[in-house]
Amino acid sequence: MQLSDCTAKNTFSPGGDPTAVIQALRAEIASLKQQLDWFKRQLFGRKSEKRILEHPNQLDLSTLLGDAPPAADP
């Protein structure tokens, strides 16, 4: 990555303070790491859609399609 590719490029000037550039780049890296962690949680984290909830009144799709024998009523 070149210095011109980052958002801290505006803080760089020839003869300027290189520690300011380093601090700006470190802040940008920290911000990007937070964004990356958030995206990872959104993509690979636990999802409520994956939970299997048993509802006794809910019909079974395989029963409706005729793929499975109907359950005996108690």
Side-chain angles (χ1 to χ4, degrees), residues 4-72:
S4 62
D5 294 339
C6 66
T7 57
K9 67 182 176 185
N10 294 331
T11 62
F12 180 75
S13 62
D17 186 17
T19 57
V21 174
I22 292 172
Q23 289 175 347
L25 289 173
R26 285 183 177 165
E28 183 177 4
I29 288 171
S31 173
L32 291 172
K33 282 183 178 182
Q34 288 178 346
Q35 289 179 19
L36 181 61
D37 289 339
W38 183 85
F39 282 115
K40 284 180 182 179
R41 282 192 306 274
Q42 295 300 310
L43 187 59
F44 301 114
R46 291 183 65 197
K47 305 273 189 292
S48 61
E49 294 87 10
K50 291 183 179 180
R51 291 186 292 157
I52 298 175
L53 300 175
E54 295 294 328
H55 296 286
N57 297 330
Q58 184 175 0
L59 295 175
D60 186 7
L61 184 60
S62 62
T63 304
L64 292 174
L65 295 175
D67 294 339

